[in-house]
Amino acid sequence: MTENSRKGIKMERFITEEILSKYQEYLYEEEKSEATIKKYMRDLGKLLAYAEGKEVTKKLVVGYKEYLRKKKKYKLTSINSFLVAANQLFEYLGWYDLRVKTYRIQKEAFVPESRDLSRDEYKRLVKAALKKGNIRLAMILQTICATGMRVSELANVTLESVAEGVVEIYCKGKQRVILLPGKLRKKLLRYIKENRIEGGVVFRTSGGKAVDRSNVWKEMKILSKEAGVQEGKVYLHNLRHLFAKEFYAVGKDISKLADVLGHTNIETTRGYIKTTSREHQRLLDKMELVFGSA
């Protein structure tokens, strides 16, 4: 409860573009990543549109929560993300009484087959990119999948870091070091030479800027059809998941994997190594714990 609430003073509360602009500046001061800030602003834009200039009350926020589920039919995970963004804005403004509970979601035991990118499908994507002559995309796919880095971290892959074989990542106030596999490093050095890159960021646009998610996303969606891979599987983050599964399969060390991926919560890492129901079924059959004829 705010000081004014305790004193019985009614404060009218409205969300405006000006408030969101100031909140955005606050997020920058808190050193949130560019991707996080963009997502928060995008999510809060939904609340701003729903409020339509009306005063923000607890009733309105609860109505917004129901609107997202019943009218817009968003997935509960998406709704929770929107609500977290709203709750954090309310905390910033001191409107603590407006915070709403997120939906409790039972964790999926398996990764749906329709969302799981296999090793074979990944290879087909790389081969399709090479066949199209899109060497940059082929190298980006292999760099993310062979190291587990985020697409937002590609800007840290520089001529200097490739020469050393080590990429230093600074994200969310943390630092971690990513080692480049020998074969990937050789390919990157050849790519650098062929593209006459004399220094700085390796993966860049024609204008010389570091590629971002949108650049790669559009190219990947086109590539999915040519590679014969379901579009629903072709997400950049799926490359990170594939790396995680392959890394864990070799070493069975989830703590080490969490360090490599840059996770502070090991529960987040667990989500990266979930198997599909088909793989789980094979494991159950392999156990052979049912005897006799059916």
Side-chain angles (χ1 to χ4, degrees):
M1 183 180 292
T2 64
E3 184 66 27
N4 286 327
S5 298
R6 284 195 293 269
K7 292 178 179 178
I9 300 173
K10 185 179 185 303
M11 299 289 291
E12 292 187 338
R13 295 176 287 195
F14 297 89
I15 296 176
T16 63
E17 293 284 359
E18 183 181 3
I19 283 177
L20 292 186
S21 180
K22 288 181 179 178
Y23 182 55
Q24 185 174 19
E25 287 301 316
Y26 166 77
L27 293 175
Y28 277 114
E29 290 170 4
E30 289 292 300
E31 300 183 11
K32 300 295 184 183
S33 70
E34 188 74 31
T36 297
I37 294 172
K38 284 183 178 179
K39 185 180 186 312
Y40 276 14
M41 292 300 105
R42 189 168 57 246
D43 291 351
L44 290 172
K46 292 178 175 59
L47 176 58
L48 180 67
Y50 178 80
E52 294 183 321
K54 295 190 289 287
E55 182 182 0
V56 181
T57 62
K58 185 62 176 280
K59 183 177 180 181
L60 182 140
V61 181
V62 171
Y64 171 64
K65 178 179 177 180
E66 288 298 294
Y67 164 79
L68 293 170
R69 184 174 67 88
K70 294 181 178 178
K71 186 79 173 179
K72 301 302 289 184
K73 300 189 183 302
Y74 282 111
K75 293 181 180 178
L76 295 186
T77 50
S78 297
I79 295 174
N80 281 349
S81 176
F82 303 152
L83 296 179
V84 167
N87 285 341
Q88 292 193 356
L89 173 65
F90 298 152
E91 287 184 17
Y92 163 75
L93 295 170
W95 300 349
Y96 303 107
D97 56 308
L98 295 188
R99 292 175 299 183
V100 291
K101 295 179 181 178
T102 55
Y103 288 104
R104 295 181 64 182
I105 303 172
Q106 183 175 346
K107 292 182 180 179
E108 294 177 319
F110 317 109
V111 178
E113 298 279 350
S114 60
R115 294 209 315 262
D116 184 63
L117 182 70
S118 70
R119 185 188 182 100
D120 178 64
E121 289 168 329
Y122 155 65
K123 286 183 177 179
R124 278 163 32 204
L125 286 170
V126 174
K127 288 179 180 178
L130 291 172
K131 187 177 180 181
K132 279 174 63 71
N134 195 338
I135 310 302
R136 186 187 72 178
L137 180 58
M139 288 307 306
I140 287 174
L141 297 179
Q142 292 176 89
T143 299
I144 293 176
C145 201
T147 63
M149 70 173 61
R150 302 175 177 89
V151 65
S152 60
E153 297 169 341
L154 283 174
N156 294 282
V157 180
T158 61
L159 182 152
E160 296 76 16
S161 66
V162 174
E164 292 180 11
V166 175
V167 180
E168 292 187 357
I169 305 290
Y170 298 90
C171 181
K172 300 177 181 178
K174 297 176 293 184
Q175 177 191 15
R176 78 181 195 282
V177 174
I178 292 178
L179 301 179
L180 298 176
K183 194 171 182 180
L184 173 66
R185 181 170 172 266
K186 289 179 181 178
K187 284 192 171 194
L188 286 171
L189 287 171
R190 185 166 65 246
Y191 175 84
I192 288 168
K193 183 178 179 180
E194 290 174 352
N195 288 274
R196 298 178 181 177
I197 298 171
E198 298 179 354
V201 179
V202 172
F203 300 117
R204 55 183 73 174
T205 64
S206 56
K209 294 182 179 180
V211 296
D212 61 20
R213 185 184 302 273
S214 61
N215 299 136
V216 187
W217 167 256
K218 292 172 185 174
E219 294 180 355
M220 279 188 71
K221 283 302 175 184
I222 296 172
L223 195 66
S224 66
K225 296 177 182 178
E226 299 181 25
V229 179
Q230 292 179 34
E231 189 173 322
K233 295 184 177 186
V234 185
Y235 291 96
L236 289 164
H237 209 63
N238 262 0
L239 297 173
R240 226 164 101 85
H241 279 259
L242 179 56
F243 165 84
K245 287 187 290 184
E246 294 292 324
F247 187 95
Y248 183 73
V250 172
K252 299 295 182 184
D253 188 339
I254 194 169
S255 295
K256 181 67 175 177
L257 175 59
D259 291 338
V260 171
L261 292 175
H263 292 161
T264 53
N265 187 344
I266 207 164
E267 287 303 313
T268 302
T269 313
R270 290 185 191 280
Y272 277 63
I273 58 176
K274 286 180 182 176
T275 60
T276 62
S277 57
R278 185 182 303 173
E279 290 169 314
H280 190 72
Q281 184 68 56
R282 280 200 294 267
L283 177 62
L284 293 175
D285 292 339
K286 194 175 181 180
M287 291 167 64
E288 297 183 349
L289 292 176
V290 179
F291 307 99
S293 58

